[in-house]
Every structure is written in structure tokens, then in C-alpha cells.
Amino acid sequence: MAGHSEGRRAAPARPLRPYLAPYEGYRLAGFEPGSHLGLPSPYLTVIIALDAPLELARMSDPRQQPGAWGTLASGLCTAPVTIRHDGNQHGVQLALTPAGSRALLGVPAAELGAWVVELEDLLGADATELSDRIAAQPSWEARFAVLDEVFSRRLGDAEIDPHLEHAWQLLTAAEGVIRVGQVAREVGWSRRHLVGRFTAEFGVSPKEAAKLARFHRSHQLLRSRPSISLADAAARCGFYDQAHLARDWRDIVGIPPSRWRAEELFSFIQADEASEGAVSTA
């Protein structure tokens, strides 16, 4: 069955950029029903579904029951969700930094953990306003402008201990493998103190954060360049070698990257369409 897809990416308004990665809008219609994986990243996730709720058939946290959400927010997780679809998906996805969790959602990332919650539980009436106004807009640009307006209005205190902010940057921005002990020395804390404080703020350990960031870089690269070899992807994304890349993918996703590339259709459609339609709203 031939399907239709469209997508758009846009940078948020400048005051929001420390807290939000580019907005991603997507619409896919007319594909065969099935499922695909929503993969972990070093960002918190917010999704505003349009036309129909997003159905999650398997959760990152096995203690949470599957369900359907019109809007949702989720913290940092180390396992994927399985998204069931009828061949159609339509919505807007946001990726928040840990500082963005505090500034825009009003809670530290660890308070959400890997749990999925209704966006209304965090934003109250602002969540309903976002959903209603975005659904009424005729273009991606207009929808992104609504996000800019509402989230700019919500900007609050995003203060995270500077030691933790520095540790987060060291662990997630490293080009290669970085040791937790090295980061602890850099911020002037013991390893044990760093692990405890870090996990209490972010909901993942320092080692998990570094692994998520490395995995995310490889996921984005494989998404945007489906023909790149796994050896090249490993070298570009800070893995020791291809075997290290495959091992991390199996640990996080449950399957090797070669199988994911062979089976995951929606990710490549969204990546191709979004990259071609990239715009800036501010």
C-alpha cells in the first residue's frame, strides 16, 4: 500500500532554545497498519497528537500499563516504547532538555522518570490550549507559533545545580567514551556523591546518560543517512568500534541497528520529509 508523508522541523523562539530542540511536526497517512519503536534519547518527550490519540502498546517502564494519549509527556528512559498505528500518524513532537523540564513543565526530569503522563497533569489548562489551538491551525508554521507563544509564557525557574549542569554537558556532549570518575574529578565531587545527586536530578545515572547520548547520536545519523555503514556510524558517534555500537543498540532497543534499519519504515519517512522541509520560525 502506498502511503503519504509530510514533516516539518523548526527551531523554537530564541528564549526557548536552551530548553527545547527543534519542533518536529509529522503526518503519515495510508500506510499498512502495524507498529514502530519510539527510541530513547537524552531529551524528555512531549507529544501533541492530532486527529487520533497516540496508542502505546508497550511502555518503557514495564510497571506502566499500555494506553492511548492525546497529549503526553515522558522523562528520560533507557528502553523504547512500542507505538501501534492504523497506518496513520499526525502530531507534533517536542524534545526538552533537563533544564527545559524545570523551566517549561515545572518539575525536575527525575520526577517523571520513564513514566508517561498526560500533559495536562503538568501544564493544566495550558495543555488544553495547546492541543485545541494547534489542531485549529492550517500550517506547521502557525502550529509552531502557538508552541512559541504558550511556552514563552510558561518560562520559569530552570535552575539546576551548576555542578550537575556541567556534569550533564560533559557526559552527553563527549565525542567518545567518558568515564564517570573523570567527570566526578572535573566537577570536584566524589564519584558516589555525583552518582547520587545526578540520578536524583535527571532520573538516570551518569553512565546511562552518556550511553543514551552516544546511542542518540547514532540513531539520528542512521535516520538521516540510511546508507551509511555501521562501522562509519560507530566511528562518527564515539563508539570504540562497530561491535560496541551493536552491543549498545541491543542493550537499549533489544535488536541490532541492522535489523532496526531493515524494519523501521516510519523513522526514515519522518527524517527524510522533516529534513527537506526544515524552517526557522524565529
Side-chain angles (χ1 to χ4, degrees):
M1 179 187 294
H4 168 77
S5 66
E6 64 176 86
R8 189 62 60 93
R9 297 180 78 245
R14 289 191 181 278
L16 296 172
R17 292 179 190 177
Y19 312 113
L20 282 164
Y23 303 135
E24 293 195 11
Y26 58 89
R27 182 174 180 271
L28 304 105
F31 292 87
E32 292 286 351
S35 63
H36 71 100
L37 296 176
L39 300 186
S41 81
Y43 295 94
L44 293 86
T45 299
V46 168
I47 294 177
I48 300 166
L50 301 171
D51 299 337
L54 190 70
E55 184 179 356
L56 302 184
R58 186 184 66 180
M59 313 302 290
S60 295
D61 189 325
R63 296 171 298 176
Q64 185 171 18
Q65 291 297 311
W69 283 264
T71 61
L72 65 81
S74 178
L76 301 171
C77 57
T78 57
V81 297
T82 298
I83 302 166
R84 183 180 292 129
H85 62 84
D86 62 359
N88 306 282
Q89 284 196 317
H90 191 194
V92 178
Q93 180 166 324
L94 286 69
L96 282 72
T97 65
S101 182
R102 283 187 175 272
L104 303 175
L105 303 182
V107 296
E111 189 164 320
L112 287 171
W115 213 256
V116 174
V117 302
E118 292 282 355
L119 190 59
E120 186 177 3
D121 294 344
L122 300 171
L123 302 191
D126 285 343
T128 302
E129 178 184 349
L130 277 172
S131 185
D132 290 348
R133 290 181 60 190
I134 286 174
Q137 299 305 318
S139 68
W140 292 119
E141 290 85 351
R143 292 166 180 168
F144 296 154
V146 172
L147 291 168
D148 279 346
E149 178 188 335
V150 174
F151 280 114
S152 292
R153 191 174 71 213
R154 284 192 59 85
L155 264 178
D157 181 15
E159 184 175 351
I160 295 175
D161 186 303
H163 297 83
L164 291 174
E165 284 191 339
H166 187 41
W168 178 267
Q169 290 301 319
L170 289 172
L171 288 158
T172 60
E175 291 295 324
V177 177
I178 184 167
R179 303 293 183 185
V180 176
Q182 177 185 345
V183 174
R185 290 191 294 273
E186 176 75 20
V187 301
W189 286 351
S190 71
R191 179 190 172 100
R192 181 176 181 180
H193 186 67
L194 171 65
V195 171
R197 291 285 306 277
F198 192 98
T199 306
E201 174 64 38
F202 302 116
V204 294
S205 71
K207 186 175 180 180
E208 288 171 331
K211 187 173 181 178
L212 275 176
R214 195 168 55 239
F215 165 79
H216 180 64
R217 286 193 292 271
S218 71
H219 172 217
Q220 295 301 101
L221 182 60
L222 294 175
R223 246 184 108 188
S224 62
R225 294 185 57 188
S227 63
I228 192 172
S229 73
L230 295 180
D232 283 348
R236 289 170 180 254
C237 296
F239 295 88
Y240 290 126
D241 51 26
Q242 183 177 334
H244 184 200
L245 168 72
R247 187 167 58 251
D248 274 12
W249 269 77
R250 283 191 294 266
D251 288 347
I252 293 172
V253 186
I255 57 175
S258 55
R259 180 176 165 189
W260 175 79
R261 290 207 295 189
E263 297 178 354
E264 184 61 55
L265 171 64
F266 273 20
S267 182
F268 295 124
I269 292 169
Q270 292 180 30
D272 291 345
E273 296 292 337
S275 63
E276 291 172 5
V279 299
S280 177
T281 58

